[in-house]
């Protein structure tokens, strides 16, 4: 095996040398492809195929990567891949000229080419371009993965996404859909009167979520700063400032582990709307998801990992207490003290920490016994106050807050509140978070005095929500892992 591997390495080196020698020859003859500035593309592959009747016998100019080539004497075929897909070209010596045909025969798989010619169908019925000109636009000096197996090494697919995009059309389709999903979100919110804004990524106080932040040092100010874990606190400042409907789509950073649904940097969308509450956010979520699915996929019924989910029906709404009771039989309305909650947790083998209170244990029950059952679109409402430091209390039951999490496929897809706008209550919540921080909870929030000052100026009743964009894209593209919807996911560095 070692001898065979050595032979393959030698062969690869020789093939790479041949490509460089071809480039030197081109440059020596004044035909350096890297000196070409532009190529006027008139059409793309799928556009031509789908509208063949309009394109038949008409001249087009396409450009892309040559993915295959069959040289047969005086006439050849090649396949060119562009953004939309691929199309065949028929290249004949008598059509492009003898010298140009010789140059074409020297081109390699992977080269970027421009092809001009008329559209026709071959005898076998394949829509093709009868080339009148083939131009080398860029020379590929590397060798693409073996044609029939593509790029199958998962780690290398993520590290070298550019190769993955070349070799796997379905990967390219996923990222085209991702772009369309984000555009559809923007169009919907813009149509609802929301303003898109941008807020700081480097912050003194990384609040708004329960997560461990990344820390860095700002040399110019000689200050330690953090990368934001949430968009919340700055967007709420804008509500205070009178911008009644705002949203931001941007990267946030959480110093946590990697798995199929988590990446330390990911795309979050948060929006805030004055003069509404968490019920308004539920209505917005339903309408937004339906709009995006219909616009991007053409249907409100989606399938993920073989499970069909219907976004066209009204989404289920259930309280966290009722959800836990439904799947465990434990009714937290009948549990009145932390000691009782801890005793029930022990009975059901739910692990908890000493500082956990009744509300924390309710949430642990929910995570352990309920989440996986929430396959269809479901709003889980009315969370315990212990896990919701930025949310309005329910007036009839102050142990709980006006909050919901949106679930599909057993995943949390969004988190929303009737936002807390009482600065006195907010200060007490921050104080409780500081106490948790002192006990070693690295995900607890710290007091943000500037945010409290903003609340003291007065913030109107407000509904707010955060959407995980990457998980949304996963569901709408049937992608098994978050890395499959991130162009360049976080990877351990390897020496080159």
């Amino acid at each position: 095996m070692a001898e065979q591997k050595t032979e393959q390495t030698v062969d690869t080196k020789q093939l790479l040398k041949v490509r460089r020698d071809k480039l030197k020859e081109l440059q020596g003859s004044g035909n350096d492809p890297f000196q070409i500035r532009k190529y006027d593309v008139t059409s793309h592959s799928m556009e031509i195929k789908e509208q063949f009747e309009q394109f038949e016998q008409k001249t087009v100019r396409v450009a892309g990567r040559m993915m295959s080539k069959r040289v047969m004497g005086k006439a050849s075929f090649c396949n060119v891949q562009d953004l939309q897909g691929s199309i065949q070209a028929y290249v004949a010596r008598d059509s492009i000229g003898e010298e140009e045909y010789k140059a074409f025969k020297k081109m390699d798989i992977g080269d970027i080419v421009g092809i001009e010619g008329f559209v026709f169908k071959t005898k076998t019925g394949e829509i093709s371009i009868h080339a009148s000109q083939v131009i080398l636009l860029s020379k590929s000096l590397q060798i693409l993965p073996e044609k029939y197996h593509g790029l199958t090494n998962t780690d290398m697919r993520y590290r070298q996404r550019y190769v993955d995009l070349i070799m796997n059309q379905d990967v390219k389709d996923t990222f085209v859909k991702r772009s369309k999903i984000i555009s559809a979100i923007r169009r919907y919110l813009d149509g609802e009167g929301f303003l898109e804004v941008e807020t700081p990524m480097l912050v003194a106080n990384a609040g708004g979520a329960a997560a461990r932040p990344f820390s860095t040092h700002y040399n110019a100010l000689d200050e330690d700063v953090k990368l934001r874990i949430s968009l919340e606190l700055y967007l709420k400042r804008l509500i205070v400032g009178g911008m009644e409907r705002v949203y931001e789509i941007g990267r946030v950073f959480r110093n946590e582990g990697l798995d199929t649904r988590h990446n330390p940097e990911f795309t979050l969308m948060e929006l805030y709307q004055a003069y509404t509450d968490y019920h308004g956010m539920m209505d917005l979520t339903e309408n937004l998801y339906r709009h995006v699915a219909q616009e991007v996929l053409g249907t409100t019924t989606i399938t993920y990992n073989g499970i069909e989910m219907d976004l066209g029906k009204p989404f289920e709404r259930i309280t966290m207490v009722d959800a836990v009771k439904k799947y465990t039989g434990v009714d937290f309305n009948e549990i009145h003290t932390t000691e009782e909650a801890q005793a029930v947790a022990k009975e059901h083998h739910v692990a908890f920490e000493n500082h956990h209170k009744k509300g924390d244990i309710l949430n642990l029950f929910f995570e352990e016994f309920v989440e996986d059952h929430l396959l269809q679109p479901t709003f889980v409402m009315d969370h315990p106050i212990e896990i919701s430091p930025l949310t309005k209390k329910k007036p009839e039951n102050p142990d709980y807050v006006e909050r919901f999490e949106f679930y599909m496929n057993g995943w949390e897809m969004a988190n929303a509140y009737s936002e807390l706008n009482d600065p006195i209550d907010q200060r007490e919540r921050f104080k409780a978070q500081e106490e948790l921080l002192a006990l070693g909870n690295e995900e607890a929030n710290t007091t943000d005095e500037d945010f409290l000052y903003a609340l003291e100026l007065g913030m109107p009743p407000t509904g707010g929500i955060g959407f995980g964009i990457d998980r949304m894209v996963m569901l709408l593209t049937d992608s098994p892992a978050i890395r499959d919807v991130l162009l360049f996911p976080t990877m351990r560095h390897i020496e080159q």
Side-chain angles (χ1 to χ4, degrees):
M1 286 296 292
E3 185 176 329
Q4 182 182 350
K5 187 174 181 180
T6 302
E7 289 177 2
Q8 291 174 346
T9 303
V10 171
D11 289 345
T12 300
K13 286 182 178 179
Q14 183 60 33
L15 290 171
L16 292 174
K17 182 178 182 302
V18 168
R19 293 194 176 213
R20 281 164 171 74
D21 289 344
K22 288 181 181 180
L23 175 62
K24 288 179 182 178
E25 183 181 339
L26 287 165
Q27 292 170 330
S29 62
N31 295 309
D32 186 351
F34 299 131
Q35 294 303 314
I36 293 177
R37 295 294 189 270
K38 61 180 290 190
Y39 186 80
D40 293 325
V41 175
T42 66
S43 309
H44 283 81
S45 57
M46 296 309 294
E47 175 189 10
I48 294 169
K49 291 180 177 181
E50 292 172 358
Q51 302 173 39
F52 173 70
E53 291 77 13
Q54 298 177 32
F55 280 99
E56 188 175 13
Q57 295 300 311
K58 291 186 178 177
T59 298
V60 296
R61 288 162 65 96
V62 300
R65 191 177 300 274
M66 189 185 297
M67 298 301 291
S68 65
K69 185 174 74 166
R70 288 179 287 139
V71 177
M72 300 177 295
K74 299 178 183 180
S76 302
F77 288 94
C78 68
N79 198 277
V80 176
Q81 178 176 288
D82 61 17
L83 172 67
Q84 295 181 353
S86 63
I87 193 165
Q88 179 176 268
Y90 172 70
V91 184
R93 185 189 66 181
D94 294 343
S95 297
I96 69 171
E98 188 167 346
E99 290 303 313
E100 288 79 3
Y101 190 63
K102 285 181 181 178
F104 168 76
K105 290 198 292 184
K106 290 184 178 180
M107 293 179 190
D108 291 307
I109 304 304
D111 287 350
I112 308 293
V113 298
I115 295 179
E116 181 175 345
F118 66 84
V119 177
F120 76 111
K121 271 187 183 178
T122 65
K123 292 178 180 178
T124 60
E126 183 168 353
I127 296 170
S128 306
I129 298 171
H130 191 295
S132 58
Q133 184 184 58
V134 180
I135 298 176
L136 179 63
L137 301 175
S138 183
K139 184 67 186 168
S140 174
L141 300 179
Q142 285 289 346
I143 300 168
L144 293 175
E146 198 270 324
K147 176 181 175 184
Y148 294 104
H149 296 101
L151 187 63
T152 55
N153 181 303
T154 303
D155 188 71
M156 292 310 296
R157 284 183 54 218
Y158 297 143
R159 290 186 187 279
Q160 297 181 349
R161 181 68 83 187
Y162 42 92
V163 182
D164 193 22
L165 291 167
I166 293 169
M167 301 307 300
N168 298 313
Q169 182 62 38
D170 58 335
V171 171
K172 188 182 292 182
D173 292 343
T174 292
F175 288 105
V176 169
K177 280 183 182 174
R178 179 186 174 107
S179 179
K180 290 180 177 178
I181 288 166
I182 293 173
S183 294
I185 291 170
R186 284 192 164 104
R187 277 192 294 276
Y188 178 80
L189 293 177
D190 293 347
E192 293 293 310
F194 283 84
L195 299 173
E196 184 173 8
V197 297
E198 295 172 307
T199 61
M201 290 190 181
L202 291 174
V203 295
N205 188 333
R212 182 190 302 170
F214 287 92
S215 298
T216 186
H217 186 76
Y218 188 9
N219 292 336
L221 297 179
D222 192 24
E223 287 183 355
D224 291 331
V225 292
K226 297 177 175 64
L227 291 173
R228 66 185 181 187
I229 60 172
S230 168
L231 312 174
E232 180 168 348
L233 299 185
Y234 279 96
L235 291 177
K236 284 182 176 177
R237 286 169 166 90
L238 298 180
I239 295 293
V240 170
M243 299 178 74
E244 295 180 359
R245 298 185 181 203
V246 294
Y247 75 96
E248 181 173 6
I249 300 173
R251 283 294 175 102
V252 296
F253 310 87
R254 298 182 182 181
N255 200 348
E256 299 169 344
L258 295 152
D259 61 30
T260 56
R261 283 184 281 161
H262 295 89
N263 195 72
E265 56 175 308
F266 61 98
T267 302
L268 182 66
M269 181 184 75
E270 291 196 31
L271 63 87
Y272 293 85
Q273 179 179 341
Y275 311 114
T276 191
D277 62 3
Y278 74 144
H279 292 291
M281 292 296 100
M282 288 185 219
D283 295 340
L284 183 148
T285 302
E286 282 201 43
N287 294 332
L288 174 64
Y289 261 77
R290 288 192 192 113
H291 169 84
V292 171
Q294 187 65 51
E295 183 170 316
V296 177
L297 305 179
T299 178
T300 56
T301 300
I302 65 171
T303 301
Y304 184 83
N305 194 27
I307 299 170
E308 189 174 282
M309 288 165 265
D310 190 351
L311 295 167
K313 295 179 180 178
F315 296 1
E316 182 182 357
R317 303 185 183 197
I318 188 171
T319 67
M320 182 179 281
V321 168
D322 286 344
V324 168
K325 183 179 178 181
K326 177 178 178 180
Y327 290 103
T328 69
V330 177
D331 186 354
F332 271 76
N333 282 330
E334 302 299 321
I335 297 172
H336 303 291
T337 67
T338 294
E339 290 73 23
E340 290 174 7
Q342 290 177 344
V344 171
K346 290 175 182 177
E347 288 175 18
H348 287 77
H349 307 290
V350 174
F352 61 88
E353 298 179 22
N354 290 334
H355 63 82
H356 281 156
K357 298 179 181 178
K358 172 190 166 182
D360 298 299
I361 293 172
L362 167 61
N363 186 55
L364 292 172
F365 266 76
F366 174 77
E367 292 174 348
E368 180 74 23
F369 299 113
V370 181
E371 280 187 349
D372 291 344
H373 295 283
L374 304 177
L375 301 179
Q376 296 302 316
T378 304
F379 294 118
V380 177
M381 309 179 297
D382 302 350
H383 292 50
I385 193 170
E386 290 88 345
I387 61 169
S388 310
L390 299 165
T391 317
K392 275 191 173 180
K393 297 174 185 175
K394 291 184 70 63
E396 72 278 12
N397 191 349
D399 289 341
Y400 295 90
V401 297
E402 295 187 352
R403 172 185 176 186
F404 74 79
E405 290 174 301
F406 173 48
Y407 279 84
M408 287 179 65
N409 191 51
W411 301 350
E412 179 199 337
M413 304 298 295
N415 185 25
Y417 311 150
S418 296
E419 302 296 336
L420 180 61
N421 61 343
D422 178 345
I424 298 170
D425 189 357
Q426 182 64 79
R427 183 174 290 279
E428 290 302 311
R429 308 273 192 100
F430 275 142
K431 182 179 177 182
Q433 289 286 302
E434 294 274 10
E435 291 171 358
L436 290 175
L437 191 66
L439 291 171
N441 184 345
E442 296 182 47
E443 296 184 349
N445 286 198
T446 56
T447 303
D448 188 327
E449 290 293 346
D450 182 74
F451 176 64
L452 287 171
Y453 178 75
L455 288 187
E456 288 176 355
L457 286 174
M459 185 174 88
T462 298
I465 189 167
F467 290 88
I469 297 297
D470 306 307
R471 291 187 188 178
M472 185 181 192
V473 175
M474 286 173 67
L475 278 185
L476 296 181
T477 60
D478 198 10
S479 298
I482 193 170
R483 290 183 176 189
D484 295 313
V485 299
L486 298 175
L487 279 167
F488 300 101
T490 301
M491 306 287 289
R492 184 183 295 277
H493 178 71
I494 57 173
E495 295 297 330
Q496 299 295 323

